[in-house]
Amino acid sequence: DTAVSQTPKYLVTQMGNDKSIKCEQNLGHDTMYWYKQDSKKFLKIMFSYNNKELIINETVPNRFSPKSPDKAHLNLHINSLELGDSAVYFCASSQVGSSYNSPLHFGNGTRLTVT
Amino acid sequence: QKEVEQNSGPLSVPEGAIASLNCTYSDRGSQSFFWYRQYSGKSPELIMFIYSNGDKEDGRFTAQLNKASQYVSLLIRDSQPSDSATYLCAVKNTNAGKSTFGDGTTLTVKP
């Protein structure tokens, strides 16, 4: 009964390829996120969806395209992969609603290596 | 200036000691403050959150918040080797709808 699950766990691919990462949460949360964690452990938000609506779109290359078919799913598609895209990508969810104390629940991460 | 800054690590303490982790933030509109723990190769997990000035205790962990000084800290009493991890401070501005993380502080507790 994993709360936030993302696949695949590892992704090794060559420059120029296109790849996707999938995420699903069964917590009933209304908001989902993609975070990127670089080699220095810095977690940076990329996108956020609230009830399927994009609400946060940080300065991310347009090669990255998120899609949320419903509030329980958030996928990330990356076109024309570059070496600098190598990182761990975390999906997370939270129940925003009217509570400002809602923490993030993270998936196990997808380690992307671009060669 | 980074939006969220944590004391540079790594931090090493002997078993049984108190570990003190500090965090400052720049957005005065921040409303909620979180501490996450991340073991190597794992995902971040919530330890504590705090949103009112003062102290909040949960077992061996105490979070302290001073909004006037834009400062939040985490104290770990009776540190155990299992507390060895990277600790991430996150600051949330509900209006902006996002949590911003610090760089993390790596803590090592030596037996």
Side-chain angles (χ1 to χ4, degrees):
Chain A
D1 56 345
T2 305
V4 182
S5 60
Q6 53 182 110
T7 55
K9 187 171 174 64
Y10 299 97
L11 193 48
V12 181
T13 188
Q14 292 183 329
M15 286 174 54
N17 285 348
D18 304 339
K19 290 293 178 185
S20 292
I21 307 172
K22 296 186 175 182
C23 180
E24 175 181 2
Q25 56 96 2
N26 63 6
L27 295 167
H29 288 164
D30 58 7
T31 305
M32 295 184 73
Y33 310 79
W34 280 112
Y35 278 85
K36 178 180 180 182
Q37 187 170 48
D38 60 25
S39 57
K40 295 184 178 179
K41 294 284 194 177
F42 181 57
L43 262 174
K44 183 170 172 57
I45 191 168
M46 301 172 69
F47 303 103
S48 174
Y49 273 77
N50 177 271
N51 286 317
K52 301 194 297 176
E53 181 184 348
L54 181 65
I55 57 171
I56 294 174
N57 185 352
E58 295 290 293
T59 308
V60 177
N62 58 15
R63 298 181 295 103
F64 291 78
S65 52
K67 281 204 175 112
S68 182
D70 55 62
K71 73 173 190 176
H73 295 84
L74 179 62
N75 304 321
L76 182 66
H77 188 75
I78 315 170
N79 289 325
S80 303
L81 278 155
E82 300 178 356
L83 292 176
D85 298 332
S86 296
V88 180
Y89 293 83
F90 284 103
C91 175
S93 72
S94 71
Q95 181 62 29
V96 176
S98 60
S99 170
Y100 53 79
N101 295 327
S102 52
L104 294 167
H105 295 256
F106 286 90
N108 288 332
T110 295
R111 182 174 295 275
L112 171 65
T113 303
V114 183
T115 62
Chain B
Q1 182 189 3
K2 290 182 180 178
E3 292 182 62
V4 180
E5 296 210 47
Q6 295 186 236
N7 49 326
S8 59
L11 177 65
S12 180
V13 300
E15 184 173 356
I18 295 176
S20 177
L21 305 163
N22 304 316
C23 176
T24 57
Y25 59 94
S26 59
D27 180 4
R28 286 196 170 272
S30 301
Q31 295 147 317
S32 302
F33 308 86
F34 303 84
W35 283 99
Y36 292 85
R37 176 177 62 198
Q38 185 175 23
Y39 291 114
S40 180
K42 301 295 185 182
S43 57
E45 55 181 345
L46 179 72
I47 300 175
M48 293 188 70
F49 69 85
I50 186 168
Y51 58 92
S52 297
N53 280 327
D55 295 358
K56 179 181 179 183
E57 189 174 317
D58 183 1
R60 296 186 295 111
F61 299 94
T62 299
Q64 299 173 316
L65 174 62
N66 183 325
K67 289 187 180 179
S69 300
Q70 295 173 251
Y71 172 87
V72 60
S73 67
L74 179 70
L75 297 178
I76 307 174
R77 291 181 301 281
D78 188 24
S79 296
Q80 301 296 309
S82 59
D83 295 326
S84 298
T86 296
Y87 289 80
L88 300 164
C89 171
V91 173
K92 187 172 184 178
N93 182 322
T94 303
N95 294 331
K98 68 176 183 179
S99 293
T100 300
F101 285 80
D103 287 347
T105 300
T106 298
L107 171 67
T108 301
V109 180
K110 296 187 174 179

